[in-house]
């Protein structure tokens, strides 16, 4: 029996999660010049199209959508200044991200002690200014944004735009951004009683502030130890050395530092494959040390997401010079990412639609890791041996999506095309 989606365009299937939440969006309005539904499609397409300028994108859009009225340059750039549109895209992406299910490649659901945690990898990302950016002291300041990637669902969310203090600063420190956020914002809509764990690099360390967030909001942090931290060891934090999940963990200690006077954990970990030594710190006291080590290694996923933006989508400069335009672009990046995650997860259930070559490469990496551990006479945690784990979208998938959204292909035809791409290329 033919599925309902087969006879509809791929674009209908792709944009469905955004359009469904738009129906009841509080910030939605009836705008005859460019209705909200089409505006969302235009914004997401701007991310996906790989055009170097807004004018180039709008020309491409006009040539690809001959049956629709063209979106003029003035109209498009006027919408980028709209506070109402910014509030709408923030609302849409928040609702889409919150409704995303566990990703089929994530192992978070298989780890019992993480059941009551929302886990986010966080980091900042900077790109070039727009051509029309106003010079400050003869310079253009790179545009900065801070994002989080949900390690359970792979949903991407925008935390904040960097405050450049009217161009006087080149950027904003990560901890400064986090401190100016409310606890409600840090919890990202999590219900009462649910815990939040942020996995951040060294720029996110402030032990006293970690303690305050833990006490007031149930927000915890995991990071990599800094060399200049003056740590005093209280004693061991006992863990099961025989648990295969803890493979590579050399010690787990309760420590403090002079500037905070707060107790936290210091976990020393040696990669069984490479022999590289790591030291992780966290104020979360119950999760197994091997799980925390694995979660920090998963932080790399958000860096690969940024790499996708820059090198596969050519999102290397701002769309406009207003704070609304800059923040709107960040929200559209998140929405495009989240819609792609949902689409890829959905179509992976279609018969024959699996990128077997990528899976084979991942399996080969797992086999090589196990072989290296045998040579080193070490054990590796099974969490690292996930042959379906990938850090970013393949360029094959992105090119396929671009082509079939532009050509307005039926879902069934697009799926057949992807089968062919995965089988032959």
């Amino acid at each position: 029996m033919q599925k309902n989606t087969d006879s509809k365009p791929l674009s209908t299937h792709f944009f469905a999660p955004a359009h469904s939440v738009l129906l009841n969006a509080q910030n939605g309005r009836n705008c005859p010049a460019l209705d909200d539904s089409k505006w969302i499609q235009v914004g997401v397409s701007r991310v996906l199209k790989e055009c170097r300028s807004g004018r180039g994108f709008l020309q491409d859009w006009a040539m690809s959508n001959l049956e629709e009225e063209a979106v003029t340059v003035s109209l498009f750039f006027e919408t980028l200044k709209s506070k109402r549109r910014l509030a709408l895209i923030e609302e849409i992406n928040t609702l889409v991200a919150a409704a995303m299910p566990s990703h089929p490649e994530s192992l978070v659901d298989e780890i019992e002690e993480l059941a009551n945690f929302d886990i986010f990898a966080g980091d900042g990302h900077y790109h070039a200014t727009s051509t029309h950016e106003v010079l400050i002291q003869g310079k253009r300041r790179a545009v900065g944004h801070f994002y989080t990637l949900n390690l359970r669902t792979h949903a991407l969310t925008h935390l904040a735009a960097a405050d450049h203090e009217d161009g006087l600063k080149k950027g904003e420190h990560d901890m400064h951004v986090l401190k100016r956020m409310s606890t409600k914002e840090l919890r990202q809509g999590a219900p009462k009683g649910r815990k939040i764990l942020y996995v951040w690099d060294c720029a996110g360390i402030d032990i006293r502030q970690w303690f305050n967030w833990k006490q007031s909001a149930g927000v915890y942090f995991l990071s990599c130890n800094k060399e200049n931290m003056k740590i005093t060891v209280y004693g061991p934090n006992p863990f099961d050395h025989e648990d295969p999940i803890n493979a590579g963990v050399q010690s787990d200690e309760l420590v403090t530092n002079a500037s905070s006077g707060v107790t936290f954990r210091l976990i020393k970990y040696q990669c069984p494959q490479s022999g590289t030594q790591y030291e992780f710190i966290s104020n979360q006291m119950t999760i197994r040390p091997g799980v925390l080590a694995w979660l920090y290694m998963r932080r790399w996923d958000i860096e690969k997401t940024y790499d996708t933006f820059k090198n596969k989508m050519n999102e290397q400069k701002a769309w406009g010079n207003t704070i609304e335009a800059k923040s709107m672009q960040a929200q559209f990046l998140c929405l495009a990412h989240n819609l792609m995650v949902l689409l890829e997860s959905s179509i992976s259930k279609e018969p024959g639609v699996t990128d077997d070559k990528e899976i084979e490469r991942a399996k080969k990496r797992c086999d090589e890791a196990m072989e290296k551990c045998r040579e080193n006479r070490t054990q590796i945690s099974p969490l690292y041996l996930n042959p379906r784990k990938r850090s970013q979208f393949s360029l094959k998938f992105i090119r396929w999506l671009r082509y079939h959204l532009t050509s307005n292909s039926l879902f069934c035809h697009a799926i057949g095309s992807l089968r062919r791409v995965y089988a032959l290329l």
Side-chain angles (χ1 to χ4, degrees), residues 129-141:
T129 63
S130 70
T131 304
H132 304 289
E133 185 72 38
V134 177
L135 296 179
I136 300 175
Q137 297 179 352
K139 298 179 180 179
R140 289 190 177 98
R141 301 300 190 191

Side-chain angles (χ1 to χ4, degrees), residues 88-116:
L88 175 62
I89 190 60
E90 288 176 346
E91 181 182 6
I92 295 297
N93 198 51
T94 297
L95 293 171
V96 169
M100 289 173 67
S102 296
H103 194 274
E105 293 177 6
S106 173
L107 297 178
V108 172
D109 279 346
E110 299 180 23
I111 304 172
E112 186 177 355
E113 67 255 49
L114 300 182
N116 196 37

Side-chain angles (χ1 to χ4, degrees), residues 301-370:
D301 289 2
I302 196 168
E303 302 286 358
K304 299 304 289 184
T305 300
Y306 296 157
D307 181 72
T308 296
F309 291 162
K310 179 180 178 181
N311 296 315
K312 295 182 180 180
M313 297 180 178
N314 200 35
E315 284 293 324
Q316 299 185 27
K317 61 187 296 187
W319 293 357
N321 59 3
T322 65
I323 185 60
E324 290 81 14
K326 294 170 184 175
S327 297
M328 209 175 287
Q329 179 183 9
Q331 290 290 343
F332 273 121
L333 282 167
C334 290
L335 184 57
H337 169 92
N338 293 340
L339 293 178
M340 285 195 292
V341 168
L342 289 169
L343 177 67
E344 190 179 44
S345 298
S346 172
I347 63 179
S348 67
K349 301 172 186 177
E350 297 284 332
V353 186
T354 53
D355 194 346
D356 292 332
K357 290 183 174 62
E358 285 292 329
I359 294 174
E360 185 61 32
R361 280 190 282 267
K363 184 178 183 301
K364 183 179 179 181
R365 289 193 294 270
C366 290
D367 292 341
E368 289 173 350
M370 293 180 66

Side-chain angles (χ1 to χ4, degrees), residues 194-207:
R194 192 159 181 82
K195 300 173 183 178
I196 308 298
L197 175 62
Y198 281 101
V199 186
W200 215 282
D201 66 10
C202 298
I205 294 177
D206 186 324
I207 303 299

